[in-house]
Amino acid sequence: MMTLRIAQLANFVGPVSGGMRVAIEELGKGYVAAGHERILVIPGERDTTAETDNGIVVQVRAPRISRDYRMIARPWRALEVLDRFRPTSIEVSDKWTLSPAARWASRRGIGSVLFSHERLDDMLSGWVRAQFGVETAVGALNRRLVKEFDAVVVTSAYAAEEFADLDANLWRVPLGVDLATFNPGIGQPSEDGLVKLCYVGRMSHEKNPELAVAAAVELHRRGVPIQLNMYGVGPDLEKMRVQAGDAPVVFHGFVKGRDEVARRFAASDISLSVCPSETFGLAVLEALACGTPVVTSNRGGAHELVDATSGEYGSPDAVGIADAIERLMARLGPQLRQAARARAEQYTWQASVDKMLRLHEDLAHQVPNRPVRRSGFRPRTNGSKDQ
């Protein structure tokens, strides 16, 4: 078997990052477990290099663009790291400042993968509250990206729509879930007469957490006995506190550790993942794996994960989501929780890793005469060995 040297590059990866960070970590861990070499290049407060059990992790000093995130503003500094690692292929989880890595790889006869974690047309139209001009700009960017990268990875049919008619080498790779950490045995909802709803995610408008709050306010208006527990931090937190008013909405802040996140899911009757522009929705699988059924919007990648046995969906507005919650409340019980777990079991990280490795192997063989050697990578900064 050919030993691959896979370089993963990403922006917007930090201590409170959500699904993208988990996906990169799980895939990287799988690459190393399969006997390959892996390096991860991400932004950081300062230049650091760490040799870990799951490969080399390099942080490139990068400016802060928000309270929680940094972005590598000088991509050539990340490319210098790649020059020393000498990968057989690269995997880029960024469409912005790290996209020049595709041209770097092409000049060296190295395969390049763009891992598309967001759908820019819907995300940007949500930010500017209008569609005018967004489709044209995003279309031009995507046409450039599919020409420069050898392959584009998407996680859902919804995510694939953005690249329709662009002649992309498109690979659909659904993500997985840690079925051991997230399991029904770690807890169950309390029987106090209230239906416990939860939202786990970033409190920022691109994730539409305000839609979960709006649905809870609507249910409270109807006199439905619920409590919505919001887990996460973000710039819209205070705005949503005002939005909630006197409705039974509790903001718990950031939950540290995947084990604790799993316990919060398991203690809920229903989880809400209602963003209509989510390309996948790891929080959906994590909730389902804990036996907690899910309500989603009726469009987006998260909707594709929930079938008729494991949840409900509604139009992305307060009334539509509230109606879906009430329909699901009528079905609550042990059978529904068992069906939720069974749905999650269809998505494993091993399946995701296997498909990604097939792609990296294909790219590595595109230049059959290239010699395969160990990288000889040596850090230029004072690194640390993780224990």
Side-chain angles (χ1 to χ4, degrees), residues 250-285:
V250 182
F251 295 89
H252 297 270
F254 180 67
V255 179
K256 187 176 181 179
R258 309 301 290 163
D259 291 337
E260 187 57 34
V261 171
R263 282 190 283 271
R264 305 298 175 97
F265 274 131
S268 304
D269 291 290
I270 297 171
S271 178
L272 307 182
S273 290
V274 293
C275 178
S277 58
E278 193 78 75
T279 53
F280 190 74
L282 279 178
V284 174
L285 289 185

Side-chain angles (χ1 to χ4, degrees), residues 48-303:
T48 64
T49 301
E51 296 182 26
T52 78
D53 291 339
N54 296 315
I56 301 168
V57 178
V58 176
Q59 291 191 21
V60 175
R61 184 166 57 85
R64 191 185 296 276
I65 61 170
S66 71
R67 189 182 68 177
D68 300 318
Y69 293 111
R70 296 177 184 273
M71 184 173 71
I72 298 174
R74 299 173 179 174
W76 58 266
R77 301 195 66 234
L79 301 183
E80 282 186 341
V81 175
L82 299 187
D83 274 324
R84 287 179 282 141
F85 182 69
R86 299 203 305 270
T88 54
S89 57
I90 64 171
E91 179 182 304
V92 181
S93 293
D94 179 68
K95 297 175 180 177
W96 305 107
T97 64
L98 295 177
S99 63
R103 295 191 294 275
W104 175 92
S106 178
R107 289 193 296 267
R108 289 158 177 78
I110 296 170
S112 60
V113 179
L114 174 65
F115 205 121
S116 180
H117 292 274
E118 68 283 311
R119 187 164 155 175
L120 292 180
D121 53 355
D122 279 0
M123 186 177 73
L124 292 179
S125 64
W127 279 348
V128 300
R129 305 297 181 192
Q131 196 73 23
F132 179 75
V134 169
E135 288 186 353
T136 300
V138 171
L141 173 62
N142 285 339
R143 281 191 293 274
R144 176 178 67 80
L145 292 172
V146 300
K147 288 180 180 178
E148 293 179 349
F149 283 90
D150 295 313
V152 176
V153 171
V154 296
T155 54
S156 63
Y158 167 76
E161 290 173 2
E162 187 175 31
F163 298 96
D165 303 321
L166 294 184
D167 196 28
N169 178 18
L170 208 60
W171 287 59
R172 183 174 167 186
V173 184
L175 302 179
V177 62
D178 180 348
L179 293 168
T181 298
F182 296 89
N183 72 88
I186 58 175
Q188 58 184 357
S190 59
E191 297 181 4
D192 57 4
L194 293 177
V195 175
K196 299 296 196 307
L197 312 175
C198 75
Y199 169 91
V200 178
R202 181 165 169 75
M203 303 296 170
S204 185
H205 56 277
E206 73 272 10
K207 297 294 186 181
N208 294 105
E210 75 282 353
L211 183 51
V213 175
V217 170
E218 172 63 18
L219 290 170
H220 181 60
R221 185 192 67 78
R222 297 178 187 182
V224 180
I226 58 96
Q227 177 178 306
L228 172 60
N229 294 302
M230 301 286 287
Y231 300 109
V233 293
D236 293 346
L237 183 57
E238 292 307 316
K239 184 187 301 184
M240 287 188 292
R241 291 186 193 275
V242 175
Q243 176 192 6
D246 64 351
V249 180
V250 182
F251 295 89
H252 297 270
F254 180 67
V255 179
K256 187 176 181 179
R258 309 301 290 163
D259 291 337
E260 187 57 34
V261 171
R263 282 190 283 271
R264 305 298 175 97
F265 274 131
S268 304
D269 291 290
I270 297 171
S271 178
L272 307 182
S273 290
V274 293
C275 178
S277 58
E278 193 78 75
T279 53
F280 190 74
L282 279 178
V284 174
L285 289 185
E286 291 170 351
L288 294 176
C290 292
T292 303
V294 179
V295 167
T296 74
S297 294
N298 59 3
R299 66 186 298 268
H303 169 51

